[in-house]
Amino acid sequence: MTGTARCLPFPPEIAVGDEVAVALAQGLPTVALESTLIAHGLPRPRNLEVARELGAVVRAAGATPATIGVLDGRVVVGLHDDQLRRIALSEQIPKLSARDLPFAVATKSDGATTVASTAAIAHRVGIGVFATGGLGGVHRGGTYDESADLGVLGRTPITVVCAGVKSILDVPATLERLETLSVLVAGYRTDRFPGFYLTDSGCAVPWTLDSPAQVAAAAAARDLLGLGSAAIVVANPVPADRQMDPALHDRVLTRALADAAAEGVTGKDVTPYLLARFHQDTEGVSLELNIELVRRNAELAAQVAVAAATDGAARANVPVAGISVWPRPPAE
Ligand code: PSU
Ligand code: MN
């Protein structure tokens, strides 16, 4: 996350969109967005609208959106509208975690990227900030089902803005795993760990960060101190007056978990199944909230990317187009 130019181009397996390539080359603020939440977390065709909106939110906050997905075996960074449409509206689009990417490339497949695969690719191309809804984590019930999101965040120096981990998970166990993996977890303007649809998961966070500049400073410090091998998770809660009724949440979750077990839903189908059940059983309350929280995260991520680019440029004392830099470069 610096303001200096990066090495381009990338291998043909990675297709960086024109706008993103320019932003990366110039050190302009860029935000990675994932496509699994679009393809598997939200119903068609609303998901396409949301995908477009997220790009607009990032742009309005002064950064370039880079939605990541896989088309014909090429990892696309900065899906343009036709490509977004293909990923959002296809009936059968594989959910690709990091381990799946080589297969999708080798077999020239399409696919949607999760937090794990999006974070890995974003870092690969030099994007330092990423927004999503809720991270994957340790599932409830002691099933050995732990999202690959955690392992990748443990070895990828990126800043992820999210609304905590999905509330369908075992939150305390997930926080313990994040601690073991040395992933810095900070609440954004809160000392409570958010619970995705809920403002407070019932767990505390070790640190609170209060501004985009502070988040950017934490990421810069991680790198400068040589600790640059794990992610920073910025947990951005939904406001208390917007959260889901906790009693409704618990009722729907208990039923959905029991049905998932009875129907034999396993592996990567578990998370999409539970999210879809929420959307159905809350009559859209969870859907609207999910969309709202992802928008909020995209906006904060863009603010962090702007702060990081400004800070990086100030350190390197180079001008960055469209951003005021302090200390200012000397006038001509
Ligand atoms: N956030 C959302 N909706 C989603 C996801 C995140 O609001 O659908 C996706 C992310 O892509 C995340 C995935 O990586 O859910 C976790 O899936 P699993 O538990 O199978 O690892
Ligand atoms: Mn899983």
Side-chain angles (χ1 to χ4, degrees), residues 9-66:
F10 301 103
E13 287 78 5
I14 302 178
V16 179
D18 291 347
E19 196 194 357
V20 175
V22 168
L24 289 175
Q26 297 186 0
L28 295 175
T30 309
V31 172
L33 299 167
E34 54 139 320
S35 46
T36 286
L37 103 85
I38 300 300
H40 296 282
L42 303 170
R44 292 183 293 273
R46 182 79 190 276
N47 62 346
L48 177 60
E49 287 167 41
V50 175
R52 288 171 172 158
E53 253 182 276
L54 296 176
V57 165
V58 168
R59 256 181 241 288
T64 299

Side-chain angles (χ1 to χ4, degrees), residues 34-42 95-97 112-118 130 132-137 139 145-150 162 164 166 168-169 196-197 267-272 275 279 290-291 293-294 297:
E34 54 139 320
S35 46
T36 286
L37 103 85
I38 300 300
H40 296 282
L42 303 170
K95 173 178 165 185
L96 305 176
S97 192
T113 53
T114 64
V115 167
S117 47
T118 307
F130 167 31
T132 184
L135 303 180
H139 283 260
D145 184 352
E146 174 181 322
S147 177
D149 292 356
L150 300 187
C162 59
K166 280 176 284 260
I168 57 177
L169 301 169
F196 195 56
Y197 301 133
K268 62 185 179 186
D269 297 333
V270 172
T271 297
L275 293 178
H279 299 337
N290 200 339
I291 293 169
L293 67 86
V294 182
N297 295 342

Side-chain angles (χ1 to χ4, degrees), residues 158-200:
I158 193 161
T159 300
V160 189
V161 181
C162 59
V165 303
K166 280 176 284 260
S167 55
I168 57 177
L169 301 169
D170 182 333
V171 177
T174 304
L175 285 172
E176 290 295 342
R177 290 287 295 136
L178 288 168
E179 181 182 3
T180 302
L181 291 164
S182 276
V183 176
L184 175 87
V185 178
Y188 189 70
R189 298 184 176 159
T190 177
D191 59 2
R192 307 296 301 169
F193 191 63
F196 195 56
Y197 301 133
L198 305 174
T199 304
D200 181 350

Side-chain angles (χ1 to χ4, degrees), residues 26-263:
Q26 297 186 0
L28 295 175
T30 309
V31 172
L33 299 167
E34 54 139 320
S35 46
T36 286
L37 103 85
I38 300 300
H40 296 282
L42 303 170
R44 292 183 293 273
R46 182 79 190 276
N47 62 346
L48 177 60
E49 287 167 41
V50 175
R52 288 171 172 158
E53 253 182 276
L54 296 176
V57 165
V58 168
R59 256 181 241 288
T64 299
T67 310
I68 296 179
V70 181
L71 291 173
D72 300 318
R74 298 186 88 199
V75 182
V76 183
V77 180
L79 291 162
H80 60 62
D81 199 68
D82 290 353
Q83 297 173 322
L84 267 185
R85 168 186 287 273
R86 188 160 141 196
I87 287 186
L89 302 183
S90 305
E91 299 276 332
Q92 293 284 339
I93 184 109
K95 173 178 165 185
L96 305 176
S97 192
R99 68 169 187 170
D100 305 310
L101 288 178
F103 291 92
V105 170
T107 58
K108 308 219 178 307
S109 307
D110 290 357
T113 53
T114 64
V115 167
S117 47
T118 307
I121 294 296
H123 176 60
R124 169 71 180 82
V125 302
I127 299 175
V129 188
F130 167 31
T132 184
L135 303 180
V138 180
H139 283 260
R140 299 183 189 218
T143 58
Y144 290 101
D145 184 352
E146 174 181 322
S147 177
D149 292 356
L150 300 187
V152 172
L153 295 179
R155 57 176 188 268
T156 308
I158 193 161
T159 300
V160 189
V161 181
C162 59
V165 303
K166 280 176 284 260
S167 55
I168 57 177
L169 301 169
D170 182 333
V171 177
T174 304
L175 285 172
E176 290 295 342
R177 290 287 295 136
L178 288 168
E179 181 182 3
T180 302
L181 291 164
S182 276
V183 176
L184 175 87
V185 178
Y188 189 70
R189 298 184 176 159
T190 177
D191 59 2
R192 307 296 301 169
F193 191 63
F196 195 56
Y197 301 133
L198 305 174
T199 304
D200 181 350
S201 66
C203 298
V205 281
W207 296 97
T208 298
L209 294 170
D210 289 319
S211 65
Q214 253 186 17
V215 175
R222 171 198 55 196
D223 298 342
L224 294 167
L225 296 176
L227 303 168
S229 58
I232 294 178
V233 169
V234 179
N236 186 29
V238 290
D241 61 352
R242 297 289 308 145
Q243 74 161 355
M244 188 180 292
D245 170 12
L248 172 66
H249 179 273
D250 292 356
R251 226 169 31 240
V252 170
L253 181 58
T254 305
R255 209 164 44 210
L257 286 171
D259 290 350
E263 293 171 29

